[in-house]
């Protein structure tokens, strides 16, 4: 509680541009916060400081703390058997919870990867455990990887009273992306499904024929914003390009 109280004071000074803290002093404080699990507060401080400081004046290591490594072993243990990129799992954690294991949402999603107890078939208390949460979130992500963009079959999404809707599975776009070396483009449909549900986000838009709902401007604004943010974090983590992450 004392750390949080002092952190709020530091944040207030940063926002009012009244702090005398330099980058090295700030990094010491951030490391202390992250050591005690206060990742959200540490990232808030990093973000406020980076807004007020020229990028070239900040050490490269400054930006690595936007992506704490405390759960790196759990990410590796969960991702490797499922053949999931560890950078992708960490990108979801960064977007979903800011690395806060106790994060919750109004929709009752829990923990680092904001997993629903009904999806994981686990009790809320179990999902508060970082290792369990990452394992459950990774398993769900793996399911989406297999089902969101299958090679041969096109799943049908139920549409109450109206039969079934076609899911948008643009294999030609994905194959073209691979041919041109844009190997990660297919992840956008998986990311959209993680946020908006496969049958909610990836069904064909009535306003934009040939596109998924989340791709159409004016539909699913949360998912439309969510997809590029996760892709951005994934790119930074994969390439180790620690530019401003917001």
């Amino acid at each position: 509680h004392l750390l949080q109280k002092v952190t709020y004071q530091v944040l207030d000074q940063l926002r009012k541009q009244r702090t005398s803290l330099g980058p090295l002093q700030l990094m010491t404080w951030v490391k202390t916060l992250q050591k005690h699990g206060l990742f959200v507060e540490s990232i808030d401080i990093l973000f406020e400081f980076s807004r007020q400081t020229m990028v070239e004046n900040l050490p490269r290591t400054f930006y690595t703390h936007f992506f704490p490594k405390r759960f790196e072993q759990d990410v590796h243990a969960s991702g490797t058997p499922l053949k999931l990129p560890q950078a992708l799992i960490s990108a979801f954690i960064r977007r979903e919870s800011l690395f806060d294991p106790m994060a919750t949402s109004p929709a009752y999603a829990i923990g680092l990867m904001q997993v629903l107890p009904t999806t994981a078939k686990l009790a809320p208390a179990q999902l508060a455990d970082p290792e369990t949460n990452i394992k459950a979130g990774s398993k769900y992500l793996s399911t989406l990887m297999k089902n969101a963009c299958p090679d041969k079959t096109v799943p049908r999404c139920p549409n109450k009273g109206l039969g079934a809707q076609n899911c948008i599975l643009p294999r030609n776009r994905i194959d073209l992306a691979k041919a041109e070396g844009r190997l990660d483009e297919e992840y956008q449909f998986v990311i959209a499904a993680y946020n908006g549900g496969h049958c909610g986000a990836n069904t064909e838009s009535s306003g934009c024929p040939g596109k998924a709902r989340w791709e159409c401007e004016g539909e699913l604004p949360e998912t439309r914003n969510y997809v590029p943010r996760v892709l951005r974090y994934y790119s930074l983590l994969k390439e180790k390009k620690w530019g401003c992450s917001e």
Side-chain angles (χ1 to χ4, degrees):
H1 293 298
L2 179 60
L3 276 175
Q4 286 179 316
K5 183 177 179 180
V6 176
T7 299
Y8 296 144
Q9 293 174 351
V10 172
L11 274 171
D12 184 59
Q13 291 174 349
L14 282 171
R15 287 166 181 155
K16 294 176 180 177
Q17 298 185 354
R18 294 177 181 172
T19 182
S20 59
L21 289 175
L24 294 179
Q25 293 171 301
L26 195 77
M27 290 311 303
T28 299
W29 183 247
V30 164
K31 288 176 182 178
T32 300
L33 291 174
Q34 294 190 352
K35 181 180 178 180
H36 288 83
L38 299 175
F39 298 110
V40 176
E41 291 83 355
S42 70
I43 291 171
D44 281 345
I45 285 180
L46 288 168
F47 181 60
E48 284 297 329
F49 191 78
S50 65
R51 287 177 60 191
Q52 300 173 24
T53 309
M54 296 294 289
V55 173
E56 56 268 26
N57 293 334
L58 293 172
R60 182 182 177 83
T61 54
F62 176 89
Y63 291 104
T64 65
H65 293 279
F66 276 108
F67 301 93
K69 296 183 178 182
R70 179 172 177 178
F71 307 107
E72 201 169 44
Q73 290 185 347
D74 293 328
V75 169
H76 176 77
S78 295
T80 301
L82 298 171
K83 297 182 179 179
L84 290 175
Q86 294 175 46
L88 185 62
I89 298 173
S90 294
F92 274 105
I93 294 174
R94 172 69 169 82
R95 179 62 183 85
E96 289 287 345
S97 66
L98 281 178
F99 298 91
D100 180 4
M102 304 307 294
T104 58
S105 78
Y108 305 107
I110 296 170
L112 292 169
M113 296 188 73
Q114 289 293 277
V115 180
L116 289 168
T118 51
T119 298
K121 295 181 173 57
L122 293 169
Q126 291 175 288
L127 289 173
D129 172 66
E131 181 182 358
T132 302
N133 191 282
I134 293 173
K135 187 176 294 185
S138 298
K139 183 178 179 181
Y140 179 57
L141 183 57
S142 177
T143 301
L144 292 176
M145 294 281 277
K146 295 173 182 176
N147 296 329
C149 299
D151 290 312
K152 298 178 180 178
T153 60
V154 179
R156 309 284 285 186
C157 293
N159 188 6
K160 295 179 181 178
L162 298 175
Q165 288 178 298
N166 284 321
C167 290
I168 293 296
L169 303 169
R171 294 307 311 181
N172 59 329
R173 287 164 58 184
I174 291 170
D175 291 340
L176 178 62
K178 287 183 177 179
E180 294 178 352
R182 293 177 284 117
L183 302 180
D184 305 329
E185 190 166 303
E186 63 181 301
Y187 289 152
Q188 63 185 339
F189 296 97
V190 177
I191 294 168
Y194 195 95
N195 177 254
H198 176 51
C199 291
N202 287 330
T203 49
E204 184 172 8
S205 168
S206 58
C208 304
K211 291 186 176 183
R213 289 184 62 206
W214 70 269
E215 293 182 287
C216 188
E217 190 171 355
E219 291 191 55
L220 303 180
E222 179 184 326
T223 303
R224 189 171 170 82
N225 176 66
Y226 181 92
V227 172
R229 187 61 62 86
V230 175
L231 282 174
R232 171 65 172 159
Y233 294 155
Y234 169 63
S235 176
L236 288 169
L237 285 160
K238 184 185 68 169
E239 303 296 338
K240 296 294 189 295
K241 294 177 180 177
W242 309 107
C244 187
S245 62
E246 291 290 346

